[in-house]
Amino acid sequence: MASPTVPAPPVVHAPPGTLIGRAAVGAALLFSVARAVVVLTGGLPSPAWDHALGVAPFPLSLLVLVPVVVSQRGAWRRPARLVAAGPGRRRVPAAPAYGWFAAGQVLLLGAITSSPASDLFRDPEAPTAVRWLLPAGTASLAVLWLLLVTAQAVAVFRGRPRIDLTPSGVEIHEPFGRRSIPWAALAPGAPGQQQSGGTLRLRVVRPDLVERRGLVLSPASAPQVLLGWLPVHPWFLADVLRFYVDHAEERGLLGTPAGDERLGRALGVG
């Protein structure tokens, strides 16, 4: 007798905000690589165009940072909703602002390949301290910056930062690390609605249950969620977390249509 066919899990597509962030970083990487190739092969034949290529990353980086600044101002106008992320999982995805921020960092990092100071480093009449020590210090800082920017770009393509809610707990995916917090580890009645759209601080009563991976800055007993990179209303997120902390019987329905309906009815949102 033929074995029953197991249906394939539904395909979860990246939300638009994540795709926009990836596109911004990808475009910045392509531009920076193309610019580096031109610079390292002698530059453009026209001095005017060569100069324009040299300074282009600076206005471009300022331009892509405009959406970052604008996005930080409208926390209370953000939507009150979660995104489906597979069976038994609901998500607050990354906002495109983090992708724009990382793209600006990529452009600025690429600019150091042909900064005005590089001509001074190659000048044989410049003092020894300038020709050797200053380039060495600049190179060291560039390596550290490269590691940071690389980590930011990787985070964007991995869909970070984001928050995943599952029947077992909360998963906070930060740019450089992740923490998993079981519902049983969170204090009842918390978190409350915040007066600021910048940070949501969780109250943990069982820090021994919290799992941490990678680089996370806030302590296990008081983890912080940076709301600036999340396209969700701050009070709605606080209400959702508190609902599942206080109603253990509802956690099994989390990530299902029935669970979404019950959550919306309890919080008064459609």
Side-chain angles (χ1 to χ4, degrees):
M1 183 174 62
S3 59
T5 302
V6 178
V11 178
V12 179
H13 299 283
T18 301
L19 295 177
I20 293 173
R22 291 173 180 172
V25 172
L29 287 171
L30 288 175
F31 175 83
S32 298
V33 170
R35 178 177 175 275
V37 170
V38 172
V39 170
L40 294 176
T41 55
L44 297 174
S46 170
W49 282 105
D50 192 55
H51 176 72
L53 183 64
V55 301
F58 298 102
L60 286 177
S61 62
L62 292 177
L63 181 64
V64 300
L65 289 178
V66 170
V68 179
V69 176
V70 173
S71 69
Q72 305 298 308
R73 299 173 58 88
W76 309 113
R77 295 191 295 271
R78 295 172 186 170
R81 67 169 180 264
L82 302 174
V83 175
R89 185 176 294 263
R90 288 297 180 262
R91 173 172 296 170
V92 180
Y98 189 78
W100 288 112
F101 175 76
Q105 297 294 308
V106 170
L107 290 170
L108 287 175
L109 178 62
I112 68 173
T113 60
S114 63
S115 63
S118 61
D119 296 332
L120 182 62
F121 298 159
R122 295 189 293 266
D123 186 358
E125 297 181 0
T128 302
V130 173
R131 288 191 295 113
W132 295 102
L133 297 181
L134 188 57
T138 303
S140 299
L141 293 176
V143 169
L144 293 176
W145 195 6
L146 174 63
L147 295 175
L148 177 62
V149 173
T150 301
Q152 290 176 337
V154 170
V156 172
F157 284 99
R158 296 181 67 183
R160 297 185 176 192
R162 69 177 187 269
I163 297 178
D164 284 0
L165 306 181
T166 70
S168 58
V170 186
E171 297 176 3
I172 305 175
H173 297 259
E174 301 176 21
F176 311 127
R178 189 191 77 172
R179 72 180 87 224
S180 299
I181 309 174
W183 296 113
L186 293 169
Q193 292 183 344
Q194 307 297 297
Q195 299 302 315
S196 170
T199 303
L200 179 66
R201 185 183 296 272
L202 306 182
R203 291 175 53 193
V204 173
V205 294
R206 291 287 307 277
D208 56 298
L209 299 179
V210 178
E211 297 181 2
R212 296 154 53 102
R213 295 181 182 178
L215 179 61
V216 290
L217 299 180
S218 54
S221 59
Q224 295 183 9
V225 178
L226 297 180
L227 299 173
W229 306 124
L230 301 176
V232 64
H233 194 289
W235 286 0
F236 172 73
L237 178 58
D239 289 345
V240 169
L241 295 176
R242 189 172 61 254
F243 175 79
Y244 286 115
V245 169
D246 293 344
H247 299 86
E249 70 281 1
E250 299 288 345
R251 299 170 190 168
L253 294 175
L254 200 157
T256 66
D260 294 342
E261 181 180 354
R262 293 169 68 91
L263 174 66
R265 187 166 57 248
L267 301 186
V269 296

